Amino acid sequence: MQKSKWIPYHELAWTEHIIAPPEEYVEMTELFCELIQKQSQIEVNTLLHLGSGAGSNDYTFKRHFKVTGVDISDEMLKVARTLNPEVAYIKGDMREIRLGKEFDVVVIPESIGHMTTLFDLSKAIQTAYEHIKPGGLLLLAALVHEDFQENNFVYTGSKGNIEITLFENNYMQSPSATTYKATVFYLIRRNGQLETASDTVTIGVFKRAIWHDLLSEIGFNVTSMELKNIYDQYLLGDGSYLMTMFICKKLL
């Protein structure tokens, strides 16, 4: 049996658009765009995407807005720049970066989960707040504690001579934990030759009331809505994956 290599997730950024093509993100990203147009108190032209990853959401955002993306990973930024040369991508940590300008809207579609402590979560939200014009919006999507399930997922894709299958297992150590482990295992075949790789990522998961309290304390007027069936097509066996969209208005 071939031994799996441990490889940090960001070093597998090149696989992102094979196992999850940007076209598969269009429906969810268009929902963001629709909410932005309906909920913003000001005209929206500029968008800041914190934790932009491989640029799959920006593939759709750029059709509607002038987009700036921020990510901490050089590998993810390289993939994103190839997909979206029209987008201004900047390397930075969402907890610390200050661009010296404000945007009409800031979005964090999912990467907020990489904030594993309330301290880090607060810093990331403060970054968003400081980059939003008065009357603008922060939209973010998160898995809240009450909706967590120990799910298993499978993703597959191919490009040229490369075929990839990705398995993901989500596991929480105890019901009171504020993080869970997402363990991923890759089967990568090049011309039929198998390589395997794995990684485990810690994801923050906080109660809904904590989200509302924190966002309100920082200065947002907050409402929320459920995001259903985002990843249910990739689930193995029973279960569901329910996310929450937080719609956060900065007062005029």
Side-chain angles (χ1 to χ4, degrees):
M1 178 181 291
Q2 180 175 352
K3 186 176 180 180
S4 174
K5 295 182 293 182
W6 177 84
I7 299 179
Y9 173 71
H10 63 86
E11 291 188 13
L12 293 162
W14 64 271
T15 69
E16 284 286 299
H17 296 158
I18 298 176
I19 58 177
E23 292 82 5
E24 294 185 6
Y25 287 76
V26 170
E27 183 177 357
M28 186 180 98
T29 311
E30 286 290 359
L31 173 60
F32 270 77
C33 295
E34 181 180 343
L35 286 169
I36 288 167
Q37 299 294 2
K38 287 182 177 179
Q39 296 289 336
S40 180
Q41 304 165 84
I42 60 176
E43 182 180 354
V44 179
N45 296 302
T46 59
L47 179 147
L48 174 63
H49 183 179
L50 295 176
S52 50
S56 295
N57 294 110
D58 300 329
Y59 176 78
T60 299
F61 281 138
K62 69 186 182 183
R63 302 175 189 176
H64 302 273
F65 313 110
K66 182 179 179 181
V67 179
T68 299
V70 171
D71 201 87
I72 200 169
S73 166
D74 287 320
E75 293 84 357
M76 289 290 183
L77 289 169
K78 180 179 179 181
V79 174
R81 289 180 178 124
T82 300
L83 178 66
N84 304 306
E86 312 92 330
V87 173
Y89 285 110
I90 301 167
K91 183 178 181 180
D93 186 326
M94 70 170 73
R95 295 166 293 186
E96 305 288 348
I97 194 166
R98 294 296 183 272
L99 299 176
K101 60 191 294 189
E102 293 179 328
F103 298 80
D104 301 318
V105 63
V106 174
V107 296
I108 314 177
E110 290 183 73
S111 55
I112 198 71
H114 292 290
M115 304 298 105
T116 58
T117 67
L118 280 176
F119 178 74
D120 284 346
L121 181 62
S122 178
K123 290 183 69 176
I125 293 171
Q126 185 66 42
T127 295
Y129 185 85
E130 293 183 20
H131 285 88
I132 300 172
K133 295 177 182 177
L137 283 176
L138 165 65
L139 291 186
L140 62 86
L143 174 62
V144 301
H145 193 281
E146 292 89 335
D147 296 327
F148 175 80
Q149 296 183 27
E150 290 185 341
N151 287 320
N152 295 297
F153 303 87
V154 62
Y155 308 86
T156 62
S158 62
K159 182 179 180 180
N161 64 349
I162 300 175
E163 301 171 87
I164 302 175
T165 300
L166 166 64
F167 296 96
E168 177 182 341
N169 169 259
N170 293 344
Y171 177 77
M172 185 180 287
Q173 186 71 30
S174 73
S176 61
T178 57
T179 62
Y180 69 92
K181 300 292 187 180
T183 299
V184 292
F185 185 81
Y186 291 79
L187 301 174
I188 303 170
R189 288 184 171 85
R190 304 174 193 261
N191 293 318
Q193 297 299 307
L194 177 64
E195 308 167 33
T196 62
S198 62
D199 191 15
T200 297
V201 182
T202 302
I203 306 293
V205 57
F206 303 98
K207 291 185 176 180
R208 184 174 283 102
I210 290 175
W211 278 100
H212 278 276
D213 289 347
L214 180 57
L215 289 160
S216 297
E217 288 170 7
I218 287 175
F220 289 110
N221 184 345
V222 187
T223 58
S224 61
M225 61 179 285
E226 291 183 346
L227 290 176
K228 297 180 179 179
N229 306 319
I230 299 298
Y231 292 110
D232 286 3
Q233 63 180 311
Y234 306 111
L235 280 168
L236 286 173
D238 296 332
S240 63
Y241 190 83
L242 178 65
M243 300 188 74
T244 297
M245 174 87 80
F246 293 97
I247 304 163
C248 315
K249 296 181 180 181
K250 186 173 182 177
L251 298 179
L252 282 164

